[in-house]
Amino acid sequence: MDIRSEYLNFFKSKGHEVVFSAPLVPEDPTLLFTNAGMVPFKSIFTGEIPRPNPPRRTSCQTCIRAGGKHNDLDNVGYTARHHTFFEMLGNFSFGDYFKKDAIAYAWEFVTEVLKLPKEKLYVTTHENDDEAYELWQNFVPKERIYKFGDKDNFWQMGDTGPCGPCSEIFYDQGEEHFNGLEDYMGGDGDRFLEIWNLVFMQYERSADGTLTPLPKPSIDTGMGLERVIAIKEGKFSNFDTSLFMPIIEEIAKICKKPYVYEKGASYRVIADHIRSSVFLLAQGINFDKEGRGYVLRRILRRALRHGYLLGLKKPFMYKLVDKVCDIMGKHYTYLNEKKDYVKEQIKLEEERFLNTIEKGIEIFNDELKNTKEVFSGEIAFKLYDTYGFPLDLTQDMLKEKNIVIDEEKFNALMQEQKNRAKNSWKGSGDISISGDFKNLIEKFSKNEFVGYEQFNQKTKILALLDENFKELSHLDQGQIGWIMLEKTPFYPTSGGQSGDSGKINQSEVLATQKFFDLNLSKVKACEKFETNQIIEAKIDLEKRMQTARHHSATHLLHHALKKILGDQVNQAGSLVEYNRLRFDFSYSKALSKKELKEIEKCVNEMIISANKTKIDFMTLEEAKKSGAIALFSEKYQNEVRVLTLGESKELCGGTHVENTAEIGSFYIIKESGVSSGIRRIEAVVSKAALEFTQGIIEELNDIKEELKNNDALSSIKKLKNELRNSKNELRNSSQIKLDSICINQTQICIQKIDDENIDIKNLIDEFKNKFEKSVILLIQSKNEKINLAAGVKNAPLKAGILVKQAAIILGGNGGGRDDFATAGGKDFAKIDQALQESKDFIEKELCK
Ligand code: SER
């Protein structure tokens, strides 16, 4: 039995629209991950946006619970039914049917479609929910209906959001198999398996904790697919089902140790965690130091440590990716498309961690020997900071030993390390926008964007809102607010492209943004605006064109990256502005100079080809078949806009050039790493490219002028050489020790220099600089001849004579100025004699 489709078809037959699972990264910024089937519908439940028609939906939603309010990570592997990744079957009523129908549908599905024996089914209700208690009695005898309090039977999505009392359906797996103390209804044991949670959504909880009744009571139900499959396959543990066993068997094969349930926690941890990792990576989340990427890292590292316990000390998780794709790829086809990339990223992360795990475990074990009840926060932090052990991994290692970590100390150290300030795993901290959008959507549903063709539009003001999105009848002169136009030429900020600016009459448009389907422009009013007023909207065409050029170039760049680096490159983020573009993509290593040049060339060639832009509308399926690139996280309508630009083909709603030639030219200005596995290219086109290149040329010309040489490169090389030589000499000369004596307040130095690399002239200068009165003579053998140099400062002697006398002894000659002179010689055997005679001569001269 294919339970996914049985469920969806059942609710389809009850008037529900079937929707595909939304991304794991929700639109709701207060949540880390989609953690329940209702998350994609939150704004409908709260009444922020109008109800769809029909006001009923059903889905099989992929969920992650590994952080934030619903965090199951610690339990995974040790129980029969906790997972970080799971699928939730759900049916949703948006102010349509309520408790009566929800209960009746659930009962019908469980007993008639799943055909679970009625006598094995138990139900719980909230202790104050008499209505549900009564309704259940239509199907279930009273003695199998239990009442519990808020802890068990009140559900809420997060600290804020829609919530309400709930009823749960339990399946009794049989007394004969379970008889632990906790195996009673409402206990912690595994005998009574909760299979379905029906939430009767009646309230919205605000940040201060107050409950406000929702405009229309609604239904949100969630049935764990893994549990139902376990019951249908006659297994007690979700891990024993066809969803997990092939993965567990593969692990057993790799570690060459058979899986035994009682001792199998590590196998189960790995099997669970590889599923989360594959889904997250396939959906574009990568390993990172913070946020969602850090949760992914924690999950994978936890699994690796369990692999380590099984004796797996080399990367192995990546070998399990195929199994996950075999099991899940039929329903989630994007897994197959991303398989190679996912494997590569997992293997890289495995290598990163395995490099340090051994040392980390050693430090952990050493500390454990000194630990009784509380494990050192300092060591836990060291393990975290230096060896990449997330805190919950260390906690997991201590789990069976009943030892806790000194978290206070750990947190204090964490705090000290300020750059971790953003590690809030609860959510990004953004505040979700609320305002009078619902009224506007109900009144107008949406407004028309005419700006692909129209840059100037006479149109009507449909609505006005203040900065907090409260509806106004008029906007006063000088006030800042949002205008909703009937037909707007302003493209809103979306898909990474920054929105249009321009003017509404004479008032400056500061920003244009889309809220749900409402395309609103922010203005600073320089006149009074009223609803229904006819105005003239005019976009800043120059900025629009510049932005379009950068956007089109982004498509060409994406294509060039795939062409040159391979198909594993996928877009991970994009920003398009009027004067620059930034493109993030998955790739495991830094790009070489040669690759960057090739990419730049490829993009410029597509520009030069002067291809006309083609825009087609088709279904998502057709678009994918045609080879168009679609992004996982984007929500697409039934009909999608496919843009062909040069060799690139992508789904996109943005504004673009009509011909690639309009882009002018393309230059990469920077390539860098964003997080592990994600690279970033920053580039400029058109006028911004011209400014960039002109800037570089100007700089180069200034350099040439400064160097007084057109060949700047060889001139710089020469300068660098000279600098290096001087530095060497300086270093060498200061290493030589000159011995001197003082006669008549004059410092005298007569010395032989053995080092051939030293410039004795420098030594003479240094010596003379040091003393008020000085006489110096140095003799050096260099390149098979003898060099002599002498210097005299404020002394009754002539350097020229001094050096000449010595040179003659050495079979040579020379001379020079009174204060400085050089000479040469060749009779090496007489050096000592020359030194001695010079010394005598100087002493005599000075003592006269
Ligand atoms: N939102 C509820 C849950 O997650 C029912 O879908 O349990």
Side-chain angles (χ1 to χ4, degrees), residues 35-38 65 70 86 88-90 92 155-157 168 194 196-199 201 220-223:
N35 60 6
M38 56 74 69
R65 289 187 178 176
H70 297 279
F86 59 94
M88 194 179 263
L89 300 162
F92 309 95
W155 197 87
Q156 64 186 65
M157 183 187 80
E168 293 179 328
E194 180 218 319
W196 205 344
N197 186 10
L198 316 185
V199 181
M201 246 183 225
D220 148 37
T221 85
M223 174 188 262

Side-chain angles (χ1 to χ4, degrees), residues 73 111 124 209 216 260 276 319 346 359 363 371 386 410 455 476 555 560 612 618 628 673 717 723 739 763 810 832:
L73 185 62
T111 56
T124 64
K216 297 215 165 84
V260 183
S276 308
K319 294 183 189 162
I346 291 185
K359 185 81 192 129
I363 290 174
T371 304
T386 316
F410 179 91
F455 308 140
D476 283 325
H555 284 219
K612 266 185 93 145
M618 56 185 88
K717 278 185 185 157
L723 191 66
D739 296 320
L763 284 181
L810 296 170
D832 283 343

Side-chain angles (χ1 to χ4, degrees), residues 302-363:
R302 188 169 183 263
L304 282 178
R305 187 244 155 191
H306 279 275
Y308 203 82
L309 293 179
L310 295 175
L312 298 169
K313 301 192 175 174
K314 285 205 192 107
F316 70 95
M317 293 280 286
Y318 75 99
K319 294 183 189 162
L320 304 171
V321 175
D322 282 335
K323 280 280 173 257
V324 178
C325 295
D326 289 351
I327 302 165
M328 308 295 278
K330 229 168 82 188
H331 194 65
Y332 302 103
T333 49
Y334 58 88
L335 298 183
N336 303 323
E337 290 159 23
K338 298 279 153 56
K339 194 151 91 175
D340 291 339
Y341 163 73
V342 170
K343 271 190 213 170
E344 189 192 345
Q345 294 306 315
I346 291 185
K347 188 156 181 256
L348 282 171
E349 175 70 4
E350 290 192 80
E351 282 160 0
R352 274 191 288 265
F353 188 49
L354 289 169
N355 277 339
T356 60
I357 191 172
E358 195 131 350
K359 185 81 192 129
I361 287 178
E362 205 177 288
I363 290 174

Side-chain angles (χ1 to χ4, degrees), residues 136-234:
W136 277 114
Q137 286 176 45
N138 294 331
F139 308 105
V140 185
K142 245 186 182 163
E143 53 284 7
R144 292 212 307 273
I145 307 177
Y146 287 68
K147 289 184 180 181
F148 292 112
D150 280 356
K151 188 177 144 286
D152 296 293
N153 282 76
F154 194 91
W155 197 87
Q156 64 186 65
M157 183 187 80
D159 293 336
T160 59
C163 55
C166 60
S167 262
E168 293 179 328
I169 303 177
F170 284 80
Y171 179 77
D172 181 3
Q173 305 203 78
E175 195 176 7
E176 60 280 20
H177 304 291
F178 301 89
N179 51 17
L181 283 175
E182 66 290 346
D183 279 321
Y184 61 91
M185 205 47 221
D188 288 332
D190 283 334
R191 174 178 162 190
F192 295 95
L193 184 63
E194 180 218 319
I195 54 170
W196 205 344
N197 186 10
L198 316 185
V199 181
F200 308 126
M201 246 183 225
Q202 284 170 268
Y203 309 108
E204 181 178 5
R205 193 183 290 280
S206 48
D208 63 6
T210 48
L211 292 176
T212 314
L214 286 178
K216 297 215 165 84
S218 297
I219 290 295
D220 148 37
T221 85
M223 174 188 262
L225 178 74
E226 298 75 13
R227 297 170 183 209
V228 181
I229 291 184
I231 296 173
K232 287 307 287 178
E233 291 182 4

